[in-house]
Amino acid sequence: MLKGTLDMMILRTLVTGDAHGHTIAKVIEHTSEDVLEVEQGSLYPALHRLEDRGWLSSYWGLSENNRKAKFYRLTETGRKQLIHETNRWRQMARAIGLVMGEYVMGEKTLAGENDL
Amino acid sequence: MSWKRFFRRSQADAELVQEMESYLAEEMDENLARGMSREEARRRAYVKLGNPQQVREGLWQQNTLSAADSLLRDLKYAVRTLARSPGFTVIAVLVMALGIGANVALFTVVRSVLLKPLPFEDPDRLMMISEAGASDSPNHPVAGGIYAEWKKQNRSFADLAIVGSAEMNLSGLGKPGAGSQLPEQIQGANWSWNTLHVLGIQPALGRDFTAEDDTSPANGTVLLSWGLWKRRFGGDPAILNQTIYLNTRAYTVIGILPAWFSYPDTSTQLWTPIYHDNPEAAMLVLDNHQFQVIGRLRPGFTAEQGRSELSVLTRRVHNQHMDDPFVSLGANIRPLLEDIVGDIRKPLYVLLAATSCVLLIACLNVANLLVARAASRSKELAIRTALGGGRLRLLRERLVESFVLTAAGGACGLLLAYGAVAWLVSTRQDMARIEAVHIDGVVALFTAGLIALCAVFAGLISSTSIKDQQLLGSLQESARGSSTGQGRASLRRTLLALQVGLTVVLLVTAGLLLKSYQRIRSADVGCITQNVLTMRLSLFGARYQDPAQQVNFYIRLLDRVRALSGVTAAGFADAVPGQGYWGDTGFKVVEHPPLPIGRGLFAIDRSVDPGYFAAIGIPLLRGHGLDPSKRLNLANEVVISKLFADRYLPNEDPLNKHLITLDGHLFTIVGIVGDTRYSIATEPVPMQYFSLYAGLSNRGSLVIRSNRDVAMLATPIQRIVQELDRDMPVSDVLTMEQLLGDSTHDQSFSATLLLAFAALSLVLAGVGLFGVLSYLVAQRTSEIGIRIALGAQRTQVLRLMLLDGLKPAIFGLLLGLIASAGTVRLIRSMLYETQPLDPAVFLIVTVALLFVAGLACVLPAWRASRLDPMQALRAE
């Protein structure tokens, strides 16, 4: 996974509502059609890092299965950060697409060929 | 990473564990739902999560301030290792506590007394003004007439004020004789009404004097000191506008001065307007120098401009009165602050230098101890270096260790300093501005700085012993099993020699001051000091306005005192030896040719009862004493001192020659008596004794000699005074020994403190020597073992080790003696009849130091000589 993208995806996941670590990982895996597997070794450091930066807040609550779990919530600054990161990601994806000679957002590459 | 997390890492970790557990449980549930076995579900869940331990470690690391963390670890390590050798730690902390404590205490005093500006407004522009030129002294008190001239003419000063001192008899509350309180004699001052204005302060209660108060027709007004108000009047504000009686005259209390205020000195307790108290004529005299003058420089004018302007004015008056040789030629000025603290400045600086010396010695000692520890841990350090431990890391460890020691020492030192300052304030109430002395924030900051400085100093010095090569060498040495750490040993010897050298300088200085103090105490003041009692009294008010009334009182008093059993002699003098200058008089010798215009002769004058010489034991050398049968106006005889005769009437017979004093009185010289000192620390000067019966003095000291314990007579004599006049207080009831002891208070104080510091540094040097030699013995255990095994005599070993320890001590001793020869010149002015290079002092210091050094060396050397060779070799 690209550096920084996990943070962005965690933020994105939490837009729809508060969630604990397990749910966040599962949502990312499901929505990416199981392409992206969140390495658990990096999930918790990422969550704590985001919390330290003030983009997330946390509280202890009960999970769907009635277990005590730590829930994370997107803060206002986190929301702004998500917008910022998303824009940056889009620019990056477009730039990479251009270099790789693919149609991006309805445009044709200058090379005009699809024969990679 | 945040500080919050740094300090609650353990809690965060626990939360994380819980968080991961809940994750595993969720995952297991899902796996179970997918139909896996319990075992499999669990395994898969763990596989997915990864190593929980790693996650925890990662997060722990993430929440770590690496520098702060390792510093904390170093601190813990330092405390742990120091706690493992409590003997070393206690010595080092104690050494540091003494060094820092002494410094903080002295710094507190110096800062409060010397460095803090006076609590007056804009104190830099306040000047003390004196006259110059008429006699030997450069700083004359000012005559009232000269002050009037200055005040009228000068342009450099915004304002001038005149201050005089006055002893006053304060009656009990209410009318004299009617009060229930005992009368008391009080040190007061009178000053011009604008004095507080010049100083720039306000009374704490009530009002200041007005120009109207400061005239002779006005009603009497008085300002009280805070202390007097509290003590005598219970701190009751109702005292304002009440009448009290001073010298039986009525004065209205108009104000109370602030608690911190003291001027012209700390003993002054009340103030009255000067032109109200003194006859107008007396305030216009040009040649009677008795007042202090202070002035506030106008902005834009320098002290030098002020001085030259006042000098010009004085010179002009002088030229208009060429017939009077006692009108001054010029003016001197110096800052008021300097005048107030001037006498105490030099001793304080010497003490400060001494304490810095002690601190330096303490630092060297701690450094030395650290080097010793490093030596005993040299193999550990060598291995750590070999394994890649950076030198910086080792240096930091050393600094942290030295910091822990000095900080602990500093904390104890601050407590010591607190006690010392409290002690000083309670014992030295006489010292200028003592009321301003206290430990405050700045002092605490100073202490912190001192601790940091000492920590770095001791740490750095000791870590010069960490050299890569040496460390490598240490490994090789230990492999060869030979004696080790020569480089470090020489560093220790150098530190030790320095320490001994500083100690010697301190000892020599203290020795000289002590000797000088001894000389002062044993100085011959020219009279008998054993079993002589003195007490002061003043004859003021309507009852004693006529000289005949004064004489009557003296005669009645002395007759009754002499009649007491145990009294062998009694007399009266306006001032006895050791009580101070108390004024001089100009005169001419009638039989001599007239002196050139503008020149005059001076001698200290004393008014005495004829019985005085016998009572205080001043020997009559020639002629006879004053005649008790000649009363009042017949008393035209004078007795002179030997020095008077030698200086002013050399090569002739002084007896029956005549003197004309300034005010035109003619006296016949009838006798010559021995010389006395007016102050114990000054050389004798010419004196002339007039009969008290001439009505020249209305105050002075009663002197009583007894053949048994004279102190027992104090109460009976006070009772006699009360019976003669129930409103007359006595003060300063002191034996001559007490009186002279009081006047040497300063010297004894400096000498005692210095001696304490010197003794302290001697102990420190002893500890250092002991430490260094114990270390050398430990280092050379195997070598000594081999020597003994090969047949060396134990006495030989003893001698070898003794020499080893004494060598740096002797080197330091020489160093210190040479340095002392240079530094003692700085304290020359504090010495009294003592040569800076006094051989006895140098000899005693040398012997004392060698004794302590020998003592410190004997035990380790003896231990070395008792070594069992087999054990020594096996230990290696």
Side-chain angles (χ1 to χ4, degrees):
Chain A
M1 214 178 286
L2 268 173
K3 191 173 162 13
T5 49
L6 177 61
D7 290 5
M8 180 177 71
M9 287 188 291
I10 291 172
L11 293 176
R12 176 68 186 83
T13 311
L14 290 172
V15 168
T16 50
D18 305 351
H20 54 82
H22 189 256
T23 317
I24 295 170
K26 231 165 62 177
V27 168
I28 291 175
E29 284 167 22
H30 285 183
T31 28
S32 69
E33 297 174 341
D34 288 334
V35 172
L36 297 172
E37 189 167 325
V38 180
E39 284 172 43
Q40 302 308 319
S42 56
L43 174 67
Y44 284 103
L47 283 171
H48 284 238
R49 190 166 57 236
L50 295 176
E51 194 183 355
D52 282 348
R53 289 179 187 161
W55 298 341
L56 298 184
S57 61
S58 66
Y59 58 93
W60 286 91
L62 283 181
S63 71
E64 314 80 66
N65 301 325
N66 263 340
R67 275 204 191 79
K68 213 177 144 204
K70 197 171 182 186
F71 282 77
Y72 292 89
R73 165 180 292 167
L74 198 59
T75 64
E76 217 25 67
T77 36
R79 205 172 289 276
K80 281 181 194 145
Q81 184 62 25
L82 175 61
I83 294 168
H84 176 75
E85 296 259 328
T86 312
N87 287 339
R88 224 185 50 170
W89 168 252
R90 286 208 176 115
Q91 281 177 359
M92 186 65 72
R94 179 172 178 269
I96 294 171
L98 289 172
V99 171
M100 299 310 282
E102 290 180 3
Y103 287 100
V104 178
M105 298 171 86
E107 285 179 38
K108 262 194 164 174
T109 56
L110 290 172
E113 312 297 333
N114 289 331
D115 52 1
L116 247 181
Chain B
M1 133 83 232
S2 68
W3 281 105
K4 200 179 86 189
R5 281 193 191 278
F6 177 68
F7 287 113
R8 43 184 293 272
R9 271 181 300 182
S10 309
Q11 197 190 336
D13 186 51
E15 275 188 19
L16 182 66
V17 170
Q18 212 174 356
E19 215 180 338
M20 287 190 295
E21 267 166 15
S22 90
Y23 177 93
L24 286 170
E26 294 284 338
E27 191 65 24
M28 265 174 73
D29 277 358
E30 277 184 22
N31 288 347
L32 285 172
R34 286 187 196 124
M36 294 182 200
S37 74
R38 203 168 176 78
E39 205 44 44
E40 181 66 6
R42 194 180 150 73
R43 198 185 64 79
R44 286 284 189 90
Y46 269 100
V47 168
K48 192 154 186 209
L49 178 71
N51 185 351
Q53 208 57 39
Q54 229 160 29
V55 176
R56 282 173 62 190
E57 273 173 23
L59 267 177
W60 186 276
Q61 205 70 44
Q62 194 179 315
N63 287 334
T64 293
L65 271 179
S66 64
D69 198 41
S70 64
L71 207 63
L72 202 70
R73 217 163 33 222
D74 277 359
L75 267 178
K76 278 185 191 160
Y77 180 70
V79 169
R80 238 186 350 253
T81 49
L82 287 175
R84 225 180 290 141
S85 44
F88 160 82
T89 309
V90 166
I91 289 179
V93 167
L94 214 64
V95 161
M96 236 34 232
L98 291 172
I100 291 182
N103 266 273
V104 170
L106 250 290
F107 173 76
T108 306
V109 174
V110 169
R111 183 180 114 80
S112 314
V113 175
L114 300 180
L115 305 180
K116 261 193 208 164
L118 275 185
F120 302 144
E121 185 190 317
D122 207 356
D124 293 342
R125 293 222 305 277
L126 281 174
M127 296 290 150
M128 176 84 177
I129 308 164
S130 52
E131 291 186 14
S135 78
D136 308 337
S137 161
N139 295 309
H140 264 298
V142 178
I146 297 288
Y147 164 74
E149 194 69 16
W150 287 347
K151 174 127 173 126
K152 205 160 47 186
Q153 307 277 351
N154 96 89
R155 289 179 50 253
S156 350
F157 289 89
D159 207 354
L160 292 176
I162 184 166
V163 182
S165 72
E167 276 178 348
M168 305 203 193
N169 289 345
L170 172 61
S171 311
L173 261 183
K175 278 229 167 274
S180 54
Q181 279 177 308
L182 287 174
E184 67 177 297
Q185 191 171 49
I186 279 184
Q187 183 60 47
N190 26 53
W191 62 27
S192 51
W193 67 275
N194 60 342
T195 306
L196 282 184
H197 185 73
V198 170
L199 295 175
I201 67 157
Q202 293 282 328
L205 278 178
R207 66 172 179 88
D208 193 0
F209 295 125
T210 63
E212 290 71 46
D213 294 327
D214 200 9
T215 56
S216 51
N219 290 323
T221 44
V222 59
L223 292 168
L224 304 182
S225 76
W226 189 270
L228 180 67
W229 176 54
K230 284 280 181 200
R231 176 172 65 78
R232 178 115 185 168
F233 303 106
D236 184 0
I239 189 73
L240 288 180
N241 300 320
Q242 290 219 33
T243 302
I244 63 173
Y245 288 85
L246 300 172
N247 301 338
T248 70
R249 292 170 68 190
Y251 285 80
T252 306
V253 178
I254 59 164
I256 317 290
L257 291 183
W260 55 262
F261 182 82
S262 68
Y263 185 82
D265 51 52
T266 45
S267 58
T268 309
Q269 301 191 65
L270 51 80
W271 297 264
T272 55
I274 194 165
Y275 288 94
H276 173 265
D277 285 359
N278 292 290
E280 202 179 333
M283 294 306 293
L284 289 173
V285 173
L286 295 168
D287 55 7
N288 188 3
H289 315 281
Q290 58 168 323
F291 300 109
Q292 290 186 14
V293 169
I294 52 170
R296 179 174 286 281
L297 277 174
R298 224 182 265 285
F301 283 82
T302 64
E304 179 48 34
Q305 282 170 319
R307 192 199 63 76
S308 62
E309 188 191 14
L310 295 187
S311 283
V312 168
L313 294 174
T314 315
R315 170 69 82 158
R316 190 186 302 158
V317 177
H318 177 89
N319 292 343
Q320 286 161 2
H321 297 84
M322 286 301 281
D323 54 324
D324 187 343
F326 307 109
V327 177
S328 295
L329 290 164
N332 272 334
I333 79 179
R334 53 184 179 151
L336 187 62
L337 180 63
E338 195 175 297
D339 186 75
I340 291 178
V341 300
D343 294 341
I344 198 83
R345 186 182 298 247
K346 184 143 191 178
L348 277 183
Y349 280 148
V350 168
L351 286 178
L352 199 63
T355 49
S356 309
C357 228
V358 172
L359 187 64
L360 197 57
I361 291 172
C363 280
L364 287 174
N365 224 329
V366 169
N368 222 342
L369 289 165
L370 284 172
V371 176
R373 271 167 54 79
S376 65
R377 284 163 56 196
S378 66
K379 273 172 211 157
E380 174 208 330
L381 294 178
I383 292 166
R384 282 175 57 181
T385 321
L387 293 177
R391 281 196 56 202
L392 266 179
R393 179 97 184 83
L394 293 180
L395 172 65
R396 194 176 70 190
E397 218 173 88
R398 190 67 58 79
L399 282 176
V400 166
E401 214 166 74
S402 115
F403 175 77
V404 168
L405 284 177
T406 42
C412 299
L414 200 58
L415 283 180
L416 281 182
Y418 191 80
V421 167
W423 171 79
L424 179 80
V425 169
S426 69
T427 51
R428 286 304 305 271
Q429 279 300 327
D430 58 310
M431 211 166 89
R433 308 192 64 203
I434 188 77
E435 73 289 343
V437 174
H438 61 276
I439 290 183
D440 58 9
V442 176
V443 174
L445 217 64
F446 172 80
T447 315
L450 217 53
I451 288 172
L453 202 72
C454 292
V456 171
F457 180 75
L460 279 185
I461 283 200
S462 68
S463 38
T464 51
S465 65
I466 314 176
K467 297 234 171 68
D468 293 334
Q469 259 183 338
Q470 268 182 21
L471 287 170
L472 211 61
S474 149
L475 276 180
Q476 287 165 350
E477 276 167 2
S478 69
R480 281 205 310 272
S482 66
S483 62
T484 54
Q486 281 308 310
R488 249 186 300 278
S490 79
L491 174 65
R492 294 207 64 191
R493 288 200 187 96
T494 312
L495 291 179
L496 198 73
L498 277 178
Q499 201 179 312
V500 170
L502 283 172
T503 305
V504 168
V505 173
L506 264 186
L507 281 173
V508 166
T509 312
L512 287 175
L513 287 180
L514 262 188
K515 177 159 186 189
S516 150
Y517 170 62
Q518 288 285 321
R519 280 282 167 86
I520 289 183
R521 278 317 301 269
S522 60
D524 183 12
V525 286
C527 64
I528 290 174
T529 56
Q530 292 87 28
N531 234 13
V532 174
L533 185 74
T534 65
M535 59 182 77
R536 289 190 69 76
L537 37 89
S538 312
L539 279 55
F540 280 126
R543 281 171 221 171
Y544 305 103
Q545 240 146 28
D546 183 356
Q549 290 170 309
Q550 294 180 16
V551 171
N552 190 24
F553 179 85
Y554 289 134
I555 291 172
R556 281 166 59 211
L557 175 65
L558 285 169
D559 281 351
R560 290 194 58 177
V561 168
R562 284 178 188 131
L564 277 178
S565 78
V567 173
T568 52
F572 198 88
D574 53 358
V576 302
Q579 261 176 352
Y581 197 80
W582 282 90
D584 55 27
T585 305
F587 61 88
K588 292 168 185 167
V589 182
V590 176
E591 285 80 3
H592 285 188
L595 291 165
I597 283 182
R599 290 258 356 246
L601 305 177
F602 290 91
I604 287 190
D605 64 332
R606 293 281 183 260
S607 295
V608 301
D609 172 85
Y612 169 71
F613 299 113
I616 202 150
I618 297 175
L620 179 69
L621 302 177
R622 289 195 61 199
H624 58 85
L626 299 164
D627 187 349
S629 68
K630 291 189 178 166
R631 299 277 192 252
L632 226 48
N633 298 327
L634 290 174
N636 57 354
E637 298 177 339
V638 62
V639 167
I640 60 173
S641 69
K642 185 169 179 302
L643 202 63
F644 186 112
D646 292 348
R647 185 171 300 175
Y648 296 130
L649 299 149
N651 311 319
E652 59 188 301
D653 183 7
L655 293 184
N656 298 316
K657 294 271 170 25
H658 297 87
L659 304 180
I660 289 189
T661 54
L662 216 56
D663 46 11
H665 281 92
L666 184 70
F667 291 91
T668 311
I669 299 173
V670 296
I672 303 175
V673 295
D675 290 318
T676 56
R677 297 166 194 250
Y678 64 83
S679 156
I680 197 161
T682 50
E683 292 297 313
V685 290
M687 284 206 186
Q688 48 194 342
Y689 297 90
F690 301 104
S691 175
L692 191 64
Y693 294 161
L696 290 173
S697 183
N698 54 3
R699 69 183 110 177
S701 290
L702 189 60
V703 180
I704 305 106
R705 189 131 68 89
S706 169
N707 52 13
R708 53 179 197 224
D709 184 10
V710 77
M712 303 290 289
L713 291 167
T715 316
I717 291 169
Q718 287 184 68
R719 208 168 288 136
I720 293 175
V721 175
Q722 283 285 297
E723 281 164 19
L724 289 174
D725 182 345
R726 64 167 300 179
D727 286 318
M728 182 170 307
V730 298
S731 65
D732 302 329
V733 182
L734 298 169
T735 63
M736 269 311 270
E737 273 142 354
Q738 287 171 326
L739 192 143
L740 295 173
D742 270 3
S743 67
T744 57
H745 211 144
D746 276 352
Q747 286 91 339
S748 84
F749 181 70
S750 305
T752 316
L753 270 190
L754 258 183
L755 186 71
F757 292 145
L760 190 64
S761 55
L762 194 62
V763 168
L764 293 183
V767 169
L769 270 169
F770 177 76
V772 103
L773 211 69
S774 303
Y775 156 71
L776 283 175
V777 169
Q779 287 291 296
R780 295 172 68 177
T781 300
S782 60
E783 179 207 324
I784 295 166
I786 293 171
R787 277 170 191 258
I788 294 176
L790 292 179
Q793 293 297 310
R794 296 204 183 268
T795 47
Q796 276 176 318
V797 173
L798 190 67
R799 184 157 6 112
L800 182 77
M801 294 314 296
L802 265 179
L803 277 181
D804 226 20
L806 283 178
K807 235 185 279 167
I810 289 170
F811 188 68
L813 176 66
L814 291 177
L815 206 74
L817 288 177
I818 293 167
S820 303
T823 50
V824 290
R825 262 180 298 161
L826 301 175
I827 59 157
R828 187 191 284 268
S829 70
M830 286 171 70
L831 297 181
Y832 172 83
E833 285 189 359
T834 308
Q835 282 305 309
L837 296 175
D838 187 279
V841 169
F842 277 76
L843 190 71
I844 291 172
V845 167
T846 306
V847 170
L849 194 101
L850 287 179
F851 177 73
V852 169
L855 214 62
C857 293
V858 156
L859 188 62
W862 183 78
R863 212 187 280 148
S865 74
R866 307 304 304 166
L867 268 179
D868 176 359
M870 284 323 289
Q871 237 165 17
L873 290 174
R874 209 174 295 131
E876 192 60 27

